């Protein structure tokens, strides 16, 4: 039995997949702890894992009123604000990671957010580690960095942009890395130096998404592997809440609408648009409140609408006619897994990348960028996409085919095999 520490930081979608990985490792006999923010303690413990707290809750590190999210990416003020927020978040995170890594830890499993700091812990304590990112991060000519909006720059341009994105990440982690190395008694070394050391020895990296959505790049080095999704854990006997079951039984399959941890403070506006678009398309809808606060109370009529809180996508999405969401990596994959069409409304970060992937796979309509879901035509535009998603047979056919492919993958099993190779 190995004492394994998984570290993950960010929003719900950045944490939940690691509960599935941890539960699989625990079932194989390992002692597993998951270090993350206090708000996810219940989620971690429900999966049978030890919870260890990390500071720097991302919900308290957002720009006021989500100004940076709503501002167009070209605005340099928005970029500066986001960089400041990210740097503050990461600096607070470093000390918490050092506290979470106890002397008996035998293996570190690191998310993309925690890996640049976790590498210092591994070096200081002589602990083996595995990087387990949920998005592709290594430069490639096959596509541009995931945060660049999903538009290809050509093979040379894609690789150059990928290298630039790594340098930006190094900058974000510079202060936190310096402080952490000093605390751990390590000699000074920049994030770039530590990253290049890992690359030089070919450290394995297991990516928790499916080649159904992102085929492995042809120019990645050996050791960079795509192993399949890690689905959030839920109890084997879990069921949808009675109110949801009653709503589903009362009519035809509805459409799910949710924006996860995005669009804080936009609940009233988005709820009104969603309700009007659903009525125009003659569809029922389930609105997931999320950080934006979607709710039927913001609409003129709640006929055919239901508001819900956190519900496992694995239970809800297969019962939907279609899903409307921000296209975070986990939510995008959950829609494909359920075999239902998607209406992508990407907000920021990697979401335009996943939205483009869903559309190219044929399981989604043309994305509606969040910043364009405004104005007089917002209702008409969303209503048109809803009608396309629910009446075009090809979307459902492609979604069903992709779902069958995902069902054949065992991402957590691949992680377990890698852990067993490392721990003997």
């Amino acid at each position: 039995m190995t004492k394994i520490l998984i570290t993950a930081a960010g929003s719900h979608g950045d944490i939940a997949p690691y509960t599935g990985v941890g539960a699989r490792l625990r079932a194989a006999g390992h002692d597993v702890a998951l270090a993350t923010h206090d708000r996810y303690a219940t989620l971690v413990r429900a999966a049978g894992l030890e919870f260890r707290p990390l500071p720097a809750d991302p919900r308290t590190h957002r720009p006021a009123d989500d100004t940076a999210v709503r501002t167009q990416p070209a605005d340099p003020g928005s970029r500066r604000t986001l960089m400041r927020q990210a740097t503050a978040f990461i600096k607070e995170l470093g000390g918490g990671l050092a506290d979470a890594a106890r002397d008996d830890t035998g293996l570190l499993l690191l998310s993309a957010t925690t890996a640049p700091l976790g590498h210092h812990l591994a070096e200081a304590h002589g602990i083996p580690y595995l990087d387990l990112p949920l998005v592709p991060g290594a430069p490639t000519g096959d596509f541009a960095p995931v945060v660049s909006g999903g538009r290809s720059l050509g093979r040379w341009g894609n690789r150059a942009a990928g290298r630039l994105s790594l340098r930006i990440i190094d900058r974000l982690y510079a202060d936190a890395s310096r402080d952490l190395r000093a605390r751990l008694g390590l000699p000074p070394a920049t994030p770039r130096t530590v990253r290049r050391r890992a690359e030089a020895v070919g450290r394995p990296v297991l990516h928790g998404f499916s080649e159904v959505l992102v085929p492995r790049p042809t120019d990645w080095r050996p050791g960079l592997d795509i192993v399949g999704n890690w689905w959030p854990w839920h109890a084997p006997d879990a069921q949808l809440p009675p109110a949801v079951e009653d709503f589903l039984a009362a009519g035809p399959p509805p459409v799910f609408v949710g924006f996860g941890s995005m669009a804080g403070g936009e609940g009233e506006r988005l709820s009104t648009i969603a309700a009007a678009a659903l009525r125009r398309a003659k569809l029922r809808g389930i609105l997931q409140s999320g950080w934006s606060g979607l709710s039927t109370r913001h609409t003129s009529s709640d006929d055919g609408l239901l508001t819900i809180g956190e519900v496992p996508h694995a239970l809800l999405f297969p019962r939907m006619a279609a899903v409307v969401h921000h296209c975070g990596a986990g939510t995008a994959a959950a829609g494909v897994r359920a075999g239902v069409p998607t209406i992508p409304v990407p907000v920021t970060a990697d979401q335009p990348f996943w939205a483009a992937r869903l559309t190219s796979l044929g399981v989604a309509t043309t994305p509606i960028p969040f910043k364009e879901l405004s104005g007089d035509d917002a209702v008409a535009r969303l209503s048109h996409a809803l009608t396309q998603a629910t009446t075009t047979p090809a979307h459902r056919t492609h979604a069903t085919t992709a779902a069958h492919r995902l069902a054949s993958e065992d991402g957590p099993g691949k992680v377990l095999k890698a852990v067993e190779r490392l721990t003997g």
Side-chain angles (χ1 to χ4, degrees):
M1 179 183 70
T2 302
K3 296 202 172 187
I4 299 171
L5 175 62
I6 305 173
T7 64
S11 66
H12 183 275
D14 299 312
I15 313 304
Y18 296 99
T19 63
V21 172
R24 182 64 171 271
L25 295 173
R26 181 176 176 272
H30 297 287
D31 186 347
V32 185
L34 175 50
T36 189
H37 313 296
D38 284 336
R39 71 172 56 247
Y40 306 116
T42 300
L43 184 72
V44 172
R45 291 178 177 133
L49 311 177
E50 178 191 348
F51 170 75
R52 295 185 188 175
L54 289 183
D57 186 334
R59 196 162 184 175
T60 65
H61 282 74
R62 295 182 302 163
D65 300 322
D66 276 348
T67 302
V69 169
R70 292 199 301 269
T71 305
Q72 296 211 14
D75 184 346
S78 168
R79 291 181 180 177
R80 283 194 296 269
T81 300
L82 289 172
M83 290 285 280
R84 284 196 300 269
Q85 293 288 329
T87 300
F89 173 78
I90 291 164
K91 194 166 185 179
E92 191 177 344
L93 191 61
L97 281 171
D99 293 334
R102 299 171 186 168
D103 292 340
D104 60 354
T105 301
L107 177 66
L108 284 171
L109 301 183
L110 307 169
S111 74
T113 309
T114 62
L117 299 171
H119 295 166
H120 306 306
L121 296 176
E123 179 183 344
H125 299 298
I127 307 171
Y129 69 88
L130 271 175
D131 285 0
L132 303 180
L134 298 173
V135 297
T140 173
D142 288 8
F143 48 80
V146 295
V147 295
S148 67
R151 181 180 300 174
S152 178
L153 306 172
R155 294 199 64 83
W156 183 90
N158 289 342
R159 287 194 62 82
R163 290 191 292 269
L164 175 61
S165 71
L166 292 181
R167 288 198 290 273
I168 292 172
I169 292 170
D170 291 341
R171 251 181 83 194
L172 289 173
Y173 281 84
D175 290 348
S177 295
R178 183 191 60 243
D179 293 349
L180 183 56
R181 290 185 72 84
R183 172 176 172 173
L184 296 171
L186 294 172
T190 65
R192 184 184 185 190
T193 298
V194 175
R195 172 172 56 81
R196 287 192 159 188
R197 286 175 188 165
E199 292 171 355
V201 297
R203 296 288 312 186
V205 178
L206 306 185
H207 296 81
F209 51 85
S210 173
E211 288 202 70
V212 172
L213 282 175
V214 184
R216 186 182 184 279
T218 55
D219 53 359
W220 270 7
R221 66 165 174 83
L224 300 178
D225 295 319
I226 296 174
V227 300
N229 287 92
W230 307 317
W231 305 111
W233 180 89
H234 65 79
D237 59 350
Q239 297 181 353
L240 293 173
V244 177
E245 286 288 1
D246 291 345
F247 181 78
L248 292 173
V255 172
F256 169 90
V257 182
F259 295 94
S261 60
M262 295 289 105
E266 292 281 323
E268 183 172 357
R269 183 179 72 84
L270 292 173
S271 299
T272 300
I273 291 171
L278 287 163
R279 283 196 296 271
R280 183 177 292 195
K282 297 181 172 54
L283 294 165
R284 303 196 310 148
I286 291 181
L287 278 58
Q288 187 172 55
S289 54
W291 289 11
S292 64
L294 291 181
S295 174
T296 55
R297 72 176 182 274
H298 298 307
T299 65
S300 58
S301 170
D302 63 356
D303 292 342
L305 296 176
L306 177 70
T307 302
I308 62 171
E310 198 64 50
V311 172
H313 290 160
L315 301 181
L316 182 66
F317 280 13
R319 311 278 293 275
M320 299 295 101
V323 290
V324 180
H325 57 72
H326 60 298
C327 275
T331 312
V336 177
R337 183 192 193 191
V340 297
T342 295
I343 297 95
V345 185
V347 182
T348 187
D350 61 326
Q351 295 155 24
F353 173 84
W354 294 111
R357 290 284 160 169
L358 293 179
T359 301
S360 67
L361 192 61
V363 304
T365 60
T366 301
I368 304 173
F370 180 79
K371 65 179 181 290
E372 297 179 15
L373 195 63
S374 60
D376 296 337
D377 67 339
V379 171
R381 189 170 183 183
L382 182 56
S383 174
H384 176 69
L386 287 166
T387 300
Q388 279 191 315
T390 55
T391 63
T392 304
H395 288 314
R396 175 70 66 164
T397 299
H398 287 307
T400 300
T401 300
H404 286 317
R405 291 178 61 191
L406 258 65
S408 68
E409 299 177 345
D410 182 13
K414 299 276 185 69
V415 176
L416 176 59
K417 289 179 180 177
V419 165
E420 291 173 343
R421 285 195 297 270
L422 276 176
T423 59

